[in-house]
Amino acid sequence: MAIVHTEGESNKAPARKDWDARQDHAPSRALLRRDADAFLHQSLSSPCVSTIAKAEGIWIEDLAGRRYMDFHGNSVHHIGYAHPRLIATIKQQLDELSFAPRRFANEPAVELAEKLGQLAPADLSKVLFTTGGSDAIEVALKIARAATGRFKTLSFWDAFHGAGFGAASVGGEATFRSQIAGPLMTGAEHVAPWASRNCAYGHDSLEASARACANMISYVLGREGDFAAVIAEPMRATPLAPAPGFWKAVREACNRHGTLLIFDEIPTGLAKTGKFFSHQHDDVTPDILVLGKALGGGVLPIASVIARRALDVAGDFAIGHYTHEKNPVTARAALTTIAIIEEEGLAERAAELGAYAMGRLSELIGRSAHVGEVRGRGLMMGVRTGRGPRRLSARAGAGGTCLLPLPGRRPELQDQRRQRADPVAAAGHRQGRSRTGACHRRRCRDGWMTRSAREQKSRKVGDDCDTV
């Protein structure tokens, strides 16, 4: 049985094979061969699609010296790669205090916990750090179990919350759940998510789909009555923002049934959407908030769980217990990242540039039969290419944008791409998403959109157009 990879592909797609065959830089090919020989192979990862020698700002440079904009960045480069202030601060912290065992308090870790408590809404001010988002999700699940005395969770199909057994259980992607994963965590229930198209509830608008989804969540919570938590991304990272009122309806359902609401803001938080936290767009407060990815500034791995003070009920148990739980270097990296976001006004900049990009892309929709939908918030945005009804999502918030199309099936398009790197496209990602750092310049985005428009215009109506 073939697995449908909703987040990407298994390194075996025709576009990927074509991309690999066209790489003519000998040192790059040699490094890619060594990489494939040394690492365990897995979908969405190894063997790698390209090489990297340098990353700075919004740019990646490969071994052949080719530079290209990184519109994905694994959601870590909100402040841009290798921000000089961040690099300098990390070096200084390494000289001052490079490690702290868990049971020794240190200034950077305490300061970071206090800062996150100040930034988080309401009384979410009790914090625990992990080295990755998947672990942080599992800490959040343990807190929910301890606080409620329940074990069931409700989440969305097609969601991603991490690769660990607990995180994969509440996630909804076959790539992480099927076949070799075996039995997953008991009590992890799912419902179909809201959608602006191909709605599992049979609706053809985002608003109607969101209402049906909220009603289903309320029905399931009431039907069984013993769910510990609803866990979800406040904005789907595909990217798709919810219809107005959706999360308020879900929050009310959780309150009625004694169920906690956990927001996974690992890919959506830290200013990318035009607000520091994505859920601030919806005026809803979760019980537990999970951050990660960009928290380390695109340099060091760190994630965080932020919970309401009343949920600090697991003191007799070890719910995290990580070696680098209070690492002063990763904590200092996170503090500096937050300071850069605040002092450089990157949330406001994401909103501004997102609105500008949405305006430009709305023009592209009018000119191109191949652009079907633009959606997102701030600088977390996407474009659906291909045939079908065209729309500019009313739920776009501050903006929306797209990635480059997959290598086309026409030979002349393949030739045009021969001399430039297009690794995300070659990887065969099915869902267009852009997580470009908020430091992204308008001039760069203009140049990219103009090039993308030219390439789309060169396609004949009826050509296959996959989304990256």
Side-chain angles (χ1 to χ4, degrees):
M1 176 181 173
I3 295 177
V4 177
H5 297 279
T6 56
E7 267 288 302
E9 53 91 36
S10 62
N11 305 318
K12 299 176 182 178
R16 171 62 181 273
K17 293 178 181 178
D18 177 71
W19 167 265
D20 290 341
R22 291 188 287 110
Q23 302 314 299
D24 56 4
H25 184 248
S28 296
R29 292 179 67 92
L31 182 58
L32 289 169
R33 281 195 299 269
R34 289 169 54 205
D35 176 274
D37 288 342
F39 288 100
L40 288 166
H41 290 197
Q42 61 172 332
S43 176
L44 315 180
S45 182
S46 296
C48 287
V49 70
S50 188
T51 63
I52 181 169
K54 185 177 181 180
E56 186 175 17
I58 62 170
W59 299 97
I60 281 179
E61 184 175 315
D62 67 14
L63 286 182
R66 295 174 295 191
R67 298 176 73 235
Y68 45 89
M69 294 182 216
D70 185 359
F71 277 80
H72 186 264
N74 290 123
S75 293
V76 306
H77 65 338
H78 290 24
I79 64 172
Y81 287 121
H83 194 291
R85 176 177 169 184
L86 177 61
I87 298 300
T89 301
I90 290 173
K91 290 178 178 178
Q92 180 179 344
Q93 184 61 55
L94 284 168
D95 288 336
E96 295 175 358
L97 178 66
S98 60
F99 181 77
R102 271 189 313 275
R103 308 203 72 171
F104 291 80
N106 69 86
E107 181 63 34
V110 174
E111 186 180 346
L112 176 59
E114 292 172 339
K115 179 64 176 179
L116 290 173
Q118 294 166 8
L119 289 169
D123 72 335
L124 275 74
S125 57
K126 297 294 283 190
V127 176
L128 193 64
F129 302 133
T130 71
T131 53
S134 181
D135 289 335
I137 290 293
E138 301 198 6
V139 168
L141 296 176
K142 290 179 182 178
I143 294 172
R145 287 187 172 197
T148 64
R150 305 171 178 179
F151 67 92
K152 292 180 183 176
T153 59
L154 188 61
S155 51
F156 291 128
W157 290 117
D158 292 329
F160 176 72
H161 296 294
F165 271 92
S169 296
V170 297
E173 292 189 84
T175 307
F176 299 90
R177 296 174 51 86
S178 299
Q179 298 182 19
I180 67 168
L184 295 173
M185 189 171 69
T186 303
E189 308 288 349
H190 296 72
V191 296
W194 75 86
S196 57
R197 59 188 295 270
N198 297 327
C199 169
Y201 300 101
H203 297 288
D204 59 3
S205 74
L206 179 62
E207 289 76 9
S209 176
R211 281 195 300 272
C213 182
N215 289 339
M216 180 60 73
I217 291 171
S218 179
Y219 172 80
V220 173
L221 293 182
R223 181 73 175 175
E224 301 198 14
D226 58 352
F227 280 88
V230 169
I231 178 169
E233 297 165 323
M235 169 185 168
R236 292 178 61 194
T238 39
L240 184 60
F246 172 79
W247 282 118
K248 287 189 176 182
V250 174
R251 174 76 270 184
E252 291 169 0
C254 288
N255 292 345
R256 284 196 302 271
H257 300 292
T259 301
L260 300 181
L261 180 59
I262 301 172
F263 275 160
D264 175 355
E265 290 242 27
I266 294 168
T268 62
L270 303 177
K272 176 56 67 69
T273 66
K275 291 184 181 293
F276 197 86
F277 300 118
S278 176
H279 70 266
Q280 291 173 322
H281 290 278
D282 302 293
D283 195 26
V284 169
T285 300
D287 298 291
I288 301 174
L289 183 62
V290 183
L291 301 175
K293 289 190 180 291
L295 189 58
V299 179
L300 294 174
I302 182 172
S304 176
V305 179
I306 314 171
R308 290 194 290 110
R309 298 195 73 83
L311 300 181
D312 187 6
V313 296
D316 291 333
F317 303 92
I319 57 175
H321 206 261
Y322 297 101
T323 302
H324 289 269
E325 179 181 316
K326 295 180 179 178
N327 187 296
V329 183
T330 58
R332 183 61 68 192
L335 279 166
T336 306
T337 297
I338 292 170
I340 290 169
I341 290 172
E342 291 183 323
E343 294 169 21
E344 296 187 10
L346 295 188
E348 296 79 8
R349 184 163 179 76
E352 175 193 354
L353 289 179
Y356 178 76
M358 177 61 78
R360 290 295 310 277
L361 286 164
S362 65
E363 299 171 5
L364 183 60
I365 286 180
R367 297 199 310 267
S368 173
H370 300 289
V371 178
E373 183 181 13
V374 181
R375 65 197 193 200
R377 281 173 170 166
L379 286 177
M380 188 167 188
M381 44 179 89
V383 154
R384 178 178 60 83
T385 62
R387 290 168 289 186
R390 293 183 288 166
R391 69 182 67 158
L392 182 67
S393 173
R395 226 47 56 207
T401 189
C402 63
L403 294 176
L404 295 174
L406 280 170
R409 291 166 175 79
R410 291 166 57 197
E412 60 267 33
L413 290 181
Q414 303 286 8
D415 291 339
Q416 290 171 12
R417 292 185 173 92
R418 189 174 300 276
Q419 297 302 320
R420 68 169 180 269
D422 198 349
V424 177
H429 285 243
R430 303 293 301 178
Q431 175 60 58
R433 74 177 77 180
S434 171
R435 299 160 175 166
T436 308
C439 62
H440 197 73
R441 291 189 176 90
R442 181 177 294 186
R443 174 171 51 82
C444 295
R445 177 148 294 193
D446 273 345
W448 159 71
M449 284 190 289
T450 301
R451 190 180 83 178
S452 183
R454 285 200 304 266
E455 292 180 353
Q456 290 290 353
K457 188 175 181 180
S458 70
R459 293 177 182 265
K460 295 178 182 178
V461 175
D463 279 358
D464 293 324
C465 297
D466 291 333
T467 317
V468 298

